Amino acid sequence: MDETHPRTLSSLPEHSAESPLSVHAMTVAYHRKPVLWDVDYDAPSGALIAIVGPNGAGKSTLIKACLGLVPRASGQVEFWGRPYTQVRSRIGYVPQRESVDWDFPVSALDVVCMGRYRKIGWCRPVGRSHRRAALACMERVGMAEYAHRQISQLSGGQQQRVFLARALAQEADLYFMDEPFAGVDAATETAIVDVLRELKALGKTAIVVHHDLQTVEEYFDELILLNMRVVAAGPVARVFTRENLQKTYGGRLTLLSEAAEAVARVGSQGG
Amino acid sequence: MLPGISLGIGVQLEPSQLEQLRSSALATAGDRLPTLEQIIETVTLRGGYNTNLVIAGTTLLGLAAGIIGVFALLRKRSLMTDALSHATLPGITIAFLTATALGFDGRSLPVLLLGATVSGVAGVLCIHAILRFSRLTEDAAIGIVLSVFFGAGIVGLSYIQANANTSSAGLNRFIYGQAATMRAGDVAIMGSIAGVSVVTTVLLLKEFALVCFNDAFAKVDGWPVGAIDLVMMGLVVLVTVAGLQAVGLILVVAMLIIPPVAARFWTERLWLLVVLAGVIGAASGYFGSVVSALLPRKPAGSVIVLTSGSIFAISFICAPARGVIATAIRRLRLRLRIAGDHLLERAHELHTSVLPASVVDELAQRRGWSRWLRTLVIWSLRRAGMVGSMTSNGLEVLRAGMARGARVSRNHALWKQYLISYADIAPSHVDWSVDQVEHVLSDALIAELEAELTAQGIAIPAVGSAGR
């Protein structure tokens, strides 16, 4: 836990105050089995950052651990040099589409309005100005005409765009997106890429879990290659190499995952 | 309230005599149908003070349970609620024993309900603990807690019955419910719970919706998901405990779950769902206690549940968009449309305006149409003015039918070509076969396809040239 590694100012990299996200020595475990080892990363400001790696590499877990959705076994995460609780209003989130029940009795616009709730505050209904702002966000992803559809009547790609519009409605500076390109149609893919470029032009940062190696160079500036640990991270031009990819994807049962199995075994015997 | 009649007289009767007595008793007293006057009196709340109390109590309880049940349902906690109500029983017995041992009246309702609340919440916490510290799934954890707590409660009850010298049988009413024992104070409690439920829901509707729909997003967005959950679950506990006396711990879950489930068939709007569920719950509560006031020995709890169950059944079958009938009609329409399209496409391909019966037979066989589907297809095409009558030469296809056949054929070709030229993208999101998709292509999509294919320099098949 954090208490075992008291955070001192000197242990932090100097530029962390400008970095929208800096992760330091973060380890995450599910049921005693480590899924992320000792992750260190500083995100450059205003970049489009892809997290790429094989299935089970811990891509979604990395995002969720940064956001406090899964507990960290150790390590620190800071946003612009401050803890998450102080900068929540600057962070936007696009969860995986499969993580919710789309038969929920709300319209697409209702979902996008959820991105405004933070600004609306407790116990107050969604006012007209917020509704208009939400509708404008739907327009940016090409979904305005579906605003009043019940969400189960939307296609997978349209649902994904609704989630993206909701994140835009949060008006954040740093966006986390969990597999936004998974299983979407061409129109949605284009819409997402357009929004990402728009965000970049506005000086915002996006960290995106991505699965399609073919589009990494075209869509992103920065790349984190992940397979339980950070294999390589940095500008796409430098990191996106054959050796790095082989290191990331070459065989799941590396020394590291064997070590993880061993630790889990010892842990379950001991406790 | 009407007096019941007891059949247990301790006299030996021949089975035939017994049968006769029973049927006459049913007709005369036991299940005597109330007169119209009695019905009107009870329904319009002129059936006496006590009857009105019970009606008001169950109506308010139904209202609160319907509203709060919406969130239990949307948060996927229906089963958890059942475990909660069953887990109240050991608390009731322990509260009774403790209070009696300390010299108080063990039958005092506040004491019993306090015990019920404590052990109900303890049951829910046990479920969470099991989930947290083991790899069991939620249904298993709920099954364990529900049965163990209920078993412990039954043990407690039998202990009380065997040992306590006071009349303790009254505790049984928490299992099956006994609305008729409601007093003015109980009704006031129901009223406050209903009021709290309505006010909380109005104030926190958007927060509840956010947490129920997507708790991870809510958490990242900075909302105290745990606290909001606690409010929702707290209201569920409140309604459950309040309902114990009226409908019993076995049936109280039905008051929470059935109204929202029934209401869900009629609306896609959350606020309307809440209103409808409240109305259905209140109506069931009202109707249930009216019926039980008019027909002696009909416990209100079960009539309430049967009422809401009937509303559910009607919704399930008849609701306009989600009901069984509507779904079946929609499916049949689509099938008819697709089958009709195949028929017209065939006429187009054969360049003939009279389809010989043999061709229709062959098509029916190839497509696996049943006899009645075949008849229905031709009937619906005729109604739409696409075909004429079946003559000895065959089926006459009218001008509109030929035009439609040409269009279907063309869409089919367009779609095929689209799949070929976008093979690398399309397969990931195309899950319909070529044969089906042509029937659902919208005009807008067709225009888009044409534009895209033209831009790609791919020739669009002209109407009439697309054969198979």
Side-chain angles (χ1 to χ4, degrees):
Chain A
M1 282 286 125
D2 283 356
E3 300 86 64
T4 59
H5 298 279
R7 186 171 55 79
T8 57
L9 281 174
S10 62
S11 75
L12 289 172
E14 267 175 37
H15 60 287
S16 69
E18 287 101 67
S19 172
L21 170 74
S22 64
V23 181
H24 184 61
M26 183 173 79
T27 295
V28 180
Y30 281 139
H31 285 294
R32 298 203 189 90
K33 187 174 173 180
V35 284
L36 279 179
W37 277 91
D38 209 18
V39 173
D40 276 291
Y41 181 68
D42 283 292
S45 189
L48 301 178
I49 304 162
I51 304 175
V52 170
N55 285 333
K59 304 186 292 282
S60 290
T61 307
L62 176 58
I63 282 189
K64 287 179 184 160
C66 289
L67 294 170
L69 291 175
V70 299
R72 299 190 284 269
S74 68
Q76 295 119 38
V77 177
E78 296 201 323
F79 302 85
W80 299 282
R82 294 157 77 185
Y84 170 63
T85 45
Q86 291 179 18
V87 287
R88 271 193 177 126
S89 59
R90 296 179 66 187
I91 296 169
Y93 179 40
V94 180
Q96 270 181 35
R97 182 162 56 85
E98 290 80 16
S99 66
V100 305
D101 174 10
W102 288 93
D103 198 34
F104 205 79
V106 288
S107 69
L109 181 60
D110 292 334
V111 173
V112 178
C113 283
M114 288 178 184
R116 309 292 300 177
Y117 282 7
R118 191 162 54 195
K119 294 188 172 57
I120 298 167
W122 286 93
C123 300
R124 287 158 68 179
V126 182
R128 195 171 290 168
S129 65
H130 289 290
R131 206 163 275 275
R132 223 178 290 127
L135 205 55
C137 292
M138 295 194 82
E139 201 125 11
R140 280 164 72 184
V141 297
M143 284 292 293
E145 58 182 309
Y146 299 99
H148 298 288
R149 282 267 181 100
Q150 204 273 325
I151 52 174
S152 66
Q153 293 165 4
L154 301 173
S155 73
Q158 289 168 340
Q159 291 172 344
Q160 190 66 60
R161 278 188 271 167
V162 167
F163 263 8
L164 188 64
R166 180 176 67 172
L168 291 176
Q170 290 182 290
E171 293 178 355
D173 294 319
L174 169 63
Y175 286 93
F176 287 90
M177 304 185 186
D178 204 343
E179 298 263 14
F181 293 105
V184 302
D185 53 292
T188 301
E189 183 145 347
T190 314
I192 299 174
V193 171
D194 287 348
V195 166
L196 284 175
R197 291 191 176 137
E198 200 182 309
L199 290 174
K200 182 181 154 75
L202 293 166
K204 311 202 167 187
T205 311
I207 299 177
V208 182
V209 173
H210 195 53
H211 63 285
D212 183 10
L213 288 175
Q214 294 184 8
T215 50
V216 168
E217 287 176 291
E218 189 189 339
Y219 295 166
F220 296 97
D221 317 315
E222 275 264 320
L223 177 62
I224 303 172
L225 285 174
L226 197 74
N227 192 349
M228 299 179 71
R229 74 227 187 268
V230 176
V231 177
V236 170
R238 186 163 59 74
V239 173
F240 197 66
T241 64
R242 181 169 284 276
E243 303 103 272
N244 279 341
L245 286 176
Q246 250 159 14
K247 269 196 252 171
T248 313
Y249 286 86
R252 288 288 327 279
L253 206 67
T254 57
L255 202 60
L256 190 68
S257 54
E258 274 177 43
E261 299 276 358
V263 169
R265 269 199 302 277
V266 171
S268 59
Q269 278 160 10
Chain B
M1 305 271 272
L2 295 170
I5 193 166
S6 167
L7 282 171
I9 325 171
V11 184
Q12 289 297 319
L13 290 168
E14 294 286 307
S16 59
Q17 282 178 294
L18 187 67
E19 193 47 51
Q20 202 180 358
L21 182 68
R22 188 180 288 148
S23 54
S24 66
L26 278 179
T28 54
D31 264 14
R32 184 176 55 194
L33 289 178
T35 62
L36 189 63
E37 267 169 43
Q38 284 171 320
I39 294 177
I40 291 172
E41 249 176 30
T42 315
V43 169
T44 55
L45 300 180
R46 281 179 288 141
Y49 179 68
N50 280 330
T51 308
N52 284 351
L53 271 188
V54 175
I55 292 175
T58 53
T59 306
L60 289 167
L61 176 69
L63 173 73
I67 291 173
I68 296 310
V70 169
F71 303 104
L73 178 77
L74 292 178
R75 194 84 174 106
K76 316 247 181 276
R77 295 237 168 95
S78 312
L79 269 180
M80 180 93 78
T81 309
D82 202 20
L84 164 72
S85 66
H86 279 77
T88 56
L89 192 56
I92 292 171
T93 60
I94 291 172
F96 177 85
L97 288 172
T98 315
T100 313
L102 292 174
F104 299 108
D105 179 10
R107 284 168 303 169
S108 131
L109 192 61
V111 171
L112 295 177
L113 293 189
L114 181 70
T117 309
V118 170
S119 79
V121 170
V124 172
L125 292 179
C126 280
I127 293 172
H128 283 297
I130 291 173
L131 289 179
R132 175 122 187 227
F133 297 112
S134 78
R135 294 189 189 191
L136 287 178
T137 51
E138 187 169 291
D139 55 338
I142 287 173
I144 293 166
V145 168
L146 186 149
S147 47
V148 170
F149 271 72
F150 188 63
I154 296 294
V155 168
L157 271 188
S158 53
Y159 175 81
I160 291 169
Q161 262 151 13
N163 292 286
N165 35 16
T166 53
S167 73
S168 54
L171 292 192
N172 279 338
R173 72 177 193 271
F174 290 106
I175 300 183
Y176 299 111
Q178 213 170 59
T181 59
M182 244 187 247
R183 313 242 175 288
D186 302 335
V187 176
I189 291 175
M190 302 291 178
S192 351
I193 289 176
V196 167
S197 304
V198 170
V199 170
T200 315
T201 304
V202 167
L203 284 178
L204 293 177
L205 183 63
K206 92 178 184 301
E207 286 80 2
F208 285 174
L210 181 67
V211 169
C212 288
F213 176 61
N214 196 348
D215 53 357
F217 178 85
K219 213 166 163 186
V220 173
D221 205 38
W223 297 90
V225 172
I228 294 171
D229 247 341
L230 202 66
V231 174
M232 280 193 283
M233 231 19 217
L235 288 169
V236 169
V237 171
L238 212 60
V239 169
T240 304
V241 170
L244 287 181
Q245 192 196 0
V247 293
L249 59 86
I250 295 179
L251 290 181
V252 70
V253 65
M255 292 198 75
L256 281 155
I257 299 311
I258 297 177
V261 170
R264 185 67 184 86
F265 280 98
W266 302 93
T267 178
E268 303 286 356
R269 299 251 159 265
L270 183 60
W271 68 267
L272 196 55
L273 180 65
V274 171
V275 170
L276 277 180
V279 169
I280 292 174
S284 314
Y286 170 81
F287 190 74
S289 42
V290 165
V291 168
S292 100
L294 291 171
L295 299 175
R297 293 188 286 127
K298 292 283 169 295
S302 16
V303 183
I304 291 172
V305 171
L306 288 178
T307 307
S308 56
S310 314
I311 297 175
F312 167 77
I314 292 167
S315 311
F316 176 71
I317 295 168
C318 305
R322 294 177 159 249
V324 173
I325 293 176
T327 311
I329 289 176
R330 252 200 324 270
R331 209 167 285 160
L332 180 65
R333 274 214 189 113
L334 183 66
R335 249 186 111 189
L336 283 181
R337 187 163 156 217
I338 291 173
D341 281 356
H342 281 137
L343 203 72
L344 298 175
E345 188 183 14
R346 196 88 189 101
H348 170 77
E349 284 166 7
L350 295 175
H351 299 288
T352 171
S353 58
V354 179
L355 269 182
S358 63
V359 172
V360 179
D361 287 342
E362 186 235 310
L363 196 64
Q365 202 191 356
R366 191 151 58 89
R367 297 280 173 191
W369 298 346
S370 60
R371 202 164 178 77
W372 67 269
L373 181 68
R374 194 192 130 149
T375 316
L376 219 54
V377 166
I378 293 173
W379 173 80
S380 70
L381 284 177
R382 188 175 307 151
R383 235 189 91 205
M386 298 280 184
V387 300
S389 47
M390 194 78 167
T391 63
S392 54
N393 292 332
L395 185 66
E396 189 195 354
V397 181
L398 301 177
R399 176 175 277 200
M402 291 305 284
R404 169 124 194 100
R407 229 173 64 224
V408 170
S409 182
R410 175 183 155 87
N411 290 351
H412 189 149
L414 268 176
W415 184 253
K416 244 196 232 126
Q417 210 130 38
Y418 176 77
L419 282 185
I420 292 164
S421 38
Y422 290 89
D424 50 334
I425 315 165
S428 68
H429 61 279
V430 170
D431 48 9
W432 282 41
S433 68
V434 170
D435 257 357
Q436 303 224 321
V437 165
E438 71 191 45
H439 307 286
V440 291
L441 282 181
S442 66
D443 290 344
L445 186 58
I446 290 167
E448 203 176 305
L449 269 179
E450 285 174 348
E452 273 183 26
L453 291 178
T454 315
Q456 297 277 313
I458 296 167
I460 304 169
V463 178
S465 74
R468 238 183 269 201

